[in-house]
Amino acid sequence: MSSTLKSLRALSDPTRLRIVALLERDELSVNELQEVTRLGQSRISTHLGLLQDSELVQSRRDGKRTFYKLDPDADGPAREFIQLAIRGARELPEHGGDQINLKRVLNRRREQAQVYFNQVAGRFDRVYGPGRSWQAFGHLLLRILPPLVVADLGAGEGLLSELLARRCKKVIAVDNSEKIVAFGAAKAKKNGLKNLEFRLGDLQNPPIEPNSVDLVILSQALHHASVPAQAIAAAGKILRPRGQIMILDLLKHNFEKARELYGDHWPGFAESDLQRWLQDAGFKKIEISVVAREEQPPHFQTILAGGEK
Ligand SMILES: C[S@@+](CC[C@H](N)C(=O)[O-])C[C@H]1O[C@@H](n2cnc3c(N)ncnc32)[C@H](O)[C@@H]1O
């Protein structure tokens, strides 16, 4: 049968005209069509089958449900048939009721989509959200980082340095452990990060030219320095004018075991310690705040301290 004849046959029934009119703007499932038209499920499925045969209607599976919609690419005679069917449906006595029911069904669909967010409003940051993680936020923030020259002091194996190197002009990762430097350098090479250079050295006297970097990072490293004030002053020396220092460290704690478990020299720092050392080293625009608290005991808290040279 030609497609014109198929279309004419498909539209020769008032119920199918109603269905075409209902699918004019929104895709609908069989259940939704049933609720709007008050017709039985099998009748609706049969009508939809004929409309699909004539290629006026398409379907899409979404999990266990199937949604139907008018062919969005219909042109020529198919488009004209659809327009005629919609005009015809408007003349049917059921049309008014269909449109009222359609509005109700669509409103409920919208409300259902909002139920979850309405439930979690006000505590959204504390509930699980699929795919939403600090790690993902970190990657997003990295993308907006300008092409800086960065010194990561007490870099470890370069967890942070590697991430930074993907966006920054150059990253110099300094650590005083020979093994860690060798491991980090090999990993950077394997990952093709030519702009990440590992150097063996002390964070209190980093092997970096004065006035040569835009950003110094001390991430969980300052509490290993025997004289933290000296490390902050040394960071000031290698920074270019208006360069930034960023320190992530532990807020002062009473967990004595940290010395033997993690080799820590200091039990974290008070905000006032960091403020004083940054001021003494000549940093301006100093901002210090607690940015994280661990859920598990001993509930370590992390301070972020920053300043500008
Ligand atoms: C807790 S790790 C932090 C690693 C990394 N910054 C991070 O946030 O994942 C501390 C690192 O500092 C290094 N370190 C300790 N004392 C140091 C010093 N005086 N100079 C340079 N690095 C030091 C250690 O070898 C270790 O790799």
Side-chain angles (χ1 to χ4, degrees), residues 40-51:
Q41 187 179 343
S42 67
R43 267 186 80 190
I44 289 181
S45 298
T46 310
H47 289 305
L48 283 169
L50 273 162
L51 288 166

Side-chain angles (χ1 to χ4, degrees), residues 152-157 159-160 174-177 180 201-204 219-221 223-225:
D152 184 4
L153 306 182
E157 292 166 4
L159 191 65
L160 186 57
V174 175
D175 205 283
N176 69 349
S177 155
I180 280 187
D202 194 302
L203 57 82
Q204 290 161 129
S219 167
Q220 303 306 340
H223 59 249
H224 292 285

Side-chain angles (χ1 to χ4, degrees), residues 3-4 7 54-56 58 70-83:
S3 62
T4 305
S7 298
S54 66
E55 293 173 8
L56 297 173
Q58 293 179 345
L70 296 180
D71 177 4
D73 302 323
D75 55 6
R79 197 180 160 79
E80 284 170 33
F81 282 135
I82 287 173
Q83 295 309 322

Side-chain angles (χ1 to χ4, degrees), residues 8-270:
L8 281 171
R9 187 168 154 243
L11 300 177
S12 65
D13 179 282
T15 303
R16 292 199 282 278
L17 296 188
R18 286 171 70 192
I19 292 176
V20 170
L22 287 167
L23 299 178
E24 185 183 0
R25 278 184 220 97
D26 300 278
E27 57 174 16
L28 295 170
S29 67
V30 172
N31 278 351
E32 287 170 334
L33 280 166
Q34 203 184 340
E35 199 177 330
V36 174
T37 59
R38 308 274 180 236
L39 296 169
Q41 187 179 343
S42 67
R43 267 186 80 190
I44 289 181
S45 298
T46 310
H47 289 305
L48 283 169
L50 273 162
L51 288 166
Q52 274 191 291
D53 270 357
S54 66
E55 293 173 8
L56 297 173
V57 165
Q58 293 179 345
S59 63
R60 170 181 79 84
R61 276 200 78 79
D62 181 1
K64 285 184 181 160
R65 293 180 306 174
T66 305
F67 285 93
Y68 295 85
K69 63 174 181 186
L70 296 180
D71 177 4
D73 302 323
D75 55 6
R79 197 180 160 79
E80 284 170 33
F81 282 135
I82 287 173
Q83 295 309 322
L84 271 173
I86 293 169
R87 284 223 313 261
R90 285 188 192 133
E91 293 171 14
L92 293 169
E94 293 91 344
H95 184 68
D98 279 357
Q99 291 305 312
I100 291 168
N101 287 341
L102 176 65
K103 210 167 166 187
R104 191 169 41 77
V105 164
L106 292 176
N107 274 344
R108 203 190 46 221
R109 197 201 274 178
R110 260 190 296 277
E111 279 163 19
Q112 275 168 354
Q114 286 169 4
V115 164
Y116 169 75
F117 293 106
N118 286 340
Q119 276 171 355
V120 298
R123 53 189 183 94
F124 195 53
D125 57 341
R126 276 166 281 142
V127 297
Y128 167 76
R132 196 168 52 110
S133 66
W134 288 111
Q135 196 182 12
F137 286 151
H139 280 280
L140 180 148
L141 293 172
L142 271 176
R143 295 251 179 122
I144 54 177
L145 203 69
L148 304 172
V149 177
V150 179
D152 184 4
L153 306 182
E157 292 166 4
L159 191 65
L160 186 57
S161 293
E162 284 213 0
L163 283 174
L164 291 166
R166 290 172 205 276
R167 303 303 299 181
C168 290
K169 197 163 155 194
K170 182 168 175 76
V171 179
I172 306 165
V174 175
D175 205 283
N176 69 349
S177 155
E178 256 180 62
K179 272 194 175 172
I180 280 187
V181 166
F183 186 88
K187 191 149 75 79
K189 191 172 175 196
K190 189 171 148 226
N191 291 336
L193 295 167
K194 292 192 179 124
N195 59 340
L196 170 54
E197 187 190 336
F198 273 81
R199 295 184 189 170
L200 184 65
D202 194 302
L203 57 82
Q204 290 161 129
N205 184 20
I208 297 176
E209 285 286 290
N211 296 313
S212 65
V213 305
D214 304 300
L215 172 66
V216 170
I217 293 176
L218 285 148
S219 167
Q220 303 306 340
L222 197 61
H223 59 249
H224 292 285
S226 41
V227 188
Q230 191 182 323
I232 292 177
K237 289 203 182 101
I238 60 173
L239 277 171
R240 290 186 180 133
R242 308 203 48 196
Q244 305 267 337
I245 185 169
M246 288 286 167
I247 302 168
L248 276 175
D249 217 292
L250 297 177
L251 183 65
K252 199 162 191 157
H253 59 81
N254 300 318
F255 188 67
E256 271 305 313
K257 276 196 196 153
R259 289 183 200 276
E260 62 185 90
L261 285 178
Y262 312 118
D264 292 0
H265 195 87
W266 296 93
F269 303 111

